[in-house]
């Protein structure tokens, strides 16, 4: 039948490979150990240990899970990391998407995230969109410096935050709020000048978004207008999951 049954498992299912227990006892969990041919004392950071690839009938790889040494190995010293890779649409080989280090730290190099700075003049009695032009990082380019929108690439929960200095007119009142697809999302923050026509404001929000939804930070100043001070204004956001 071409099937391999190890440890007398239930052979009634369709898997080509089944493992039950180990040499210690039949009721132990089944284990697959992939090894390289390098002595532990010779293993260095990045030494390949083994991997599992997933592909089609031609052998091309759609995704892959690999183990590597995450430092120098030795007696009772086996630091390792796991790397998860997938092949992008219209690509021909897998690219790393997630890594778990020997210390248990998970990194996601393609996780949508951005941090931008710089403010803008605000037109009176208008729901102004704050557009920041200085980009510190913009993973995936989902934040637009042309219209101030962050567009969600996938469905999920997203975290957004802003903080900075505003210059409202004396006795002015302004409203700050996030929008989703052009509509106010959650409650607004209202404020005015604290002293000498200056005020600092900050806020955070978690937004549930579908792929293609967009978020904007808007400020509506009173009839005298205001300014989000360019060198003291910051915004950021990222996908939580």
């Amino acid at each position: 039948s071409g099937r391999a049954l190890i440890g007398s498992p239930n052979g009634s299912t369709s898997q080509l490979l089944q493992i039950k227990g180990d040499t210690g006892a039949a009721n132990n969990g089944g284990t697959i150990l992939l090894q390289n041919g390098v002595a532990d004392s010779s293993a260095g950071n990045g030494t390949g240990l083994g991997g599992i690839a997933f592909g089609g009938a031609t052998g091309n790889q759609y995704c892959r899970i690999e183990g590597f040494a995450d430092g120098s190995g030795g007696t009772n010293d086996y630091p390792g990391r796991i790397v998860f890779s997938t092949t992008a649409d219209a690509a021909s080989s897998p690219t790393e998407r997630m890594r778990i280090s020997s210390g248990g730290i998970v990194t996601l190099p393609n996780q949508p995230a951005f941090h931008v700075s710089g403010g803008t003049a605000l037109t009176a009695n208008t729901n102004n969109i704050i557009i920041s032009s200085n980009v510190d990082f913009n993973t995936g380019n989902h934040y637009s410096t042309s219209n101030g929108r962050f567009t969600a690439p996938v469905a999920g929960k997203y975290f957004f935050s802003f903080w900075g200095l505003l210059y409202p007119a004396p006795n002015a009142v302004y409203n700050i709020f996030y929008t989703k697809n052009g509509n106010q999302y959650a409650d607004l923050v209202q404020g005015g000048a604290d002293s000498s026509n200056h005020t600092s404001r900050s806020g955070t929000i978690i937004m549930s978004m579908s792929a293609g939804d967009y978020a904007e930070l808007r400020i509506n100043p009173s009839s005298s207008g205001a300014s989000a001070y360019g060198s003291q204004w910051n915004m950021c956001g990222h996908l939580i999951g």
Side-chain angles (χ1 to χ4, degrees):
S1 65
R3 301 177 65 205
L5 306 179
I6 302 173
S8 300
N10 182 344
S12 62
T13 57
S14 60
Q15 291 81 13
L16 292 174
L17 173 63
Q18 290 181 258
I19 299 174
K20 179 180 179 181
D22 57 24
T23 58
N27 59 356
N28 287 345
T31 301
I32 298 175
L33 175 60
L34 303 178
Q35 297 173 281
N36 64 17
V38 178
D40 294 327
S41 59
S42 299
N45 185 40
T47 299
L49 304 174
I52 300 174
F54 304 85
T58 59
N60 295 314
Q61 295 185 17
Y62 287 68
C63 47
R64 188 166 61 208
I65 304 173
E66 298 172 282
F68 297 90
D70 204 31
S72 299
T75 303
N76 296 322
D77 185 15
Y78 318 116
R81 66 174 179 260
I82 299 176
V83 174
F84 296 81
S85 302
T86 64
T87 302
D89 191 18
S92 60
S93 60
T95 299
E96 179 179 333
R97 308 301 186 188
M98 183 174 76
R99 176 181 297 200
I100 305 175
S101 74
S102 58
I105 298 173
V106 178
T107 53
L108 302 166
N110 294 304
Q111 189 82 339
F114 72 96
H115 185 283
V116 294
S117 59
T120 184
L122 306 176
T123 304
N125 294 322
T126 302
N127 290 332
N128 300 264
I129 301 172
I130 298 297
I131 302 175
S132 294
S133 58
N134 303 318
V135 177
D136 297 299
F137 65 85
N138 190 10
T139 305
N141 295 315
H142 304 297
Y143 177 84
S144 171
T145 57
S146 62
N147 58 22
R149 291 180 177 179
F150 175 87
T151 303
V154 296
K157 303 296 189 294
Y158 289 81
F159 172 91
F160 297 103
S161 179
F162 70 90
W163 63 102
L165 185 66
L166 287 169
Y167 279 57
N171 302 316
V173 175
Y174 58 86
N175 300 319
I176 307 176
F177 54 96
Y178 277 100
T179 64
K180 183 172 81 170
N181 300 332
N183 300 310
Q184 182 177 326
Y185 185 88
D187 293 332
L188 55 82
V189 176
Q190 190 175 79
D194 294 329
S195 62
S196 302
N197 302 334
H198 290 65
T199 185
S200 58
R201 286 294 183 268
S202 62
T204 60
I205 197 169
I206 295 175
M207 186 180 296
S208 179
M209 306 180 77
S210 299
D213 285 348
Y214 62 89
E216 301 162 326
L217 178 65
R218 294 176 179 250
I219 300 181
N220 188 343
S222 64
S223 58
S224 299
S227 176
Y229 199 60
S231 65
Q232 300 181 42
W233 190 264
N234 303 269
M235 298 189 296
C236 67
H238 65 89
L239 171 64
I240 299 173

